[in-house]
Amino acid sequence: MKRANTRPVRAGTVIIGGGNPIVVQSMCATRTTDIEATAAQAKMLHEAGAGLVRIAVDSAKDVAALAEIRARVPEANLVVDLQENYRLITQVAPHVNKVRYNPGHLHHHEKQKTVREKVAFIAETAARHDLAVRVGVNCGSVDPEMDAKFEGADPPGLEGVTAMVESAIEHCAILDDLGFDRYVVSLKDSDPRKVIEANVRFAAIRPEVPLHLGVTEAGMLPDGAIKTRIAFEQLLSRGIGDTIRVSLTLPFAEKWREVEVGRQIIADVEAGRFRSVPQFLEGGLNIISCPSCSRVENEAFVDLAFKVKEMTAYAKEYDITIAVMGCRVNGPGETDDADLGLWCAPTFVNLKRGEEELGAFPYDTVLDRLKEELDRLIAEKRAAAASPTS
């Protein structure tokens, strides 16, 4: 398989880039403070072939649990998301091999400090503790200033791609200027077309930087694997991509399937096996749902995602996107671009139509209201199609 000539970046016992085998990774879906469950899942993912296992850490209790998890699963290469509290790196660094920060989240915390100062703190701590870093840019959480600067820069269907790419380029330049080159970059979205476009553009500008590929909120099987395959086939076949994450909505005990799907896609691309998906490329109902990670605030989210898919099957011919998000971190922003969005809180589900909030509903009644809105959308589309001026 063709590979880009990226520089090697070591993360624990694996090397990302530099022509080394593509590293498959996954993320624990358990609550980090549940040490028994998280350690068991980290071990399961490692044994399934995950070269990197990511764990969410958002609090002091999570940090304490992480130390114990590290002790119980020393064989796994652990990664932690810093989320909005970038200073947590000092506490997690002794227990992990890699950290990920989101450029779009840095502006929320300690606003009196510059982005460069915050990145310098991350880079200096990573260097001191022998850690790799991922600059993880997500379309749903781009730095607001960057988003505003490049509003309208993309053609229809690729909105936000330029802001993502420019954000990643900016942070690469900061890290380079700081003398830190042990980093990889990811540019993710729930739309495979945007993932392809963003990574192709970035690779053309910074071909030496290893890329972490992923389609966020890919959804359930088999659709989630198909969406991911669309992006990965087109990128890996061009030599773009050094590590991959398949994000699927799965029962906690089946998170190993993310690794299985990732390894199968790599094997297929290496063997020249490609799968066309004309139904998806031509439109129709598109359901996206986030991976069942430890930030999910109610495990009923997984059941709800499956129920949404089953209930909406009758609308498969309509170009409608429905997003089901499991937490308040990605939920509000990631549902904005969907025709209908559900983001799940601990005891209720927020329903949206585009950026418009329609209200909060109990888990056991939200499907009825979702169907009302879906039927309304279908009626509007039928009316538009029947109009002489359409």
Side-chain angles (χ1 to χ4, degrees), residues 27 36 90 156 184 322:
M27 183 174 183
E36 291 286 343
T90 58
V184 304
I322 301 175

Side-chain angles (χ1 to χ4, degrees), residues 70-82:
R70 167 82 287 170
R72 295 191 186 192
V73 197
E75 65 274 20
N77 295 306
L78 299 184
V79 184
V80 156
D81 262 342
L82 295 178

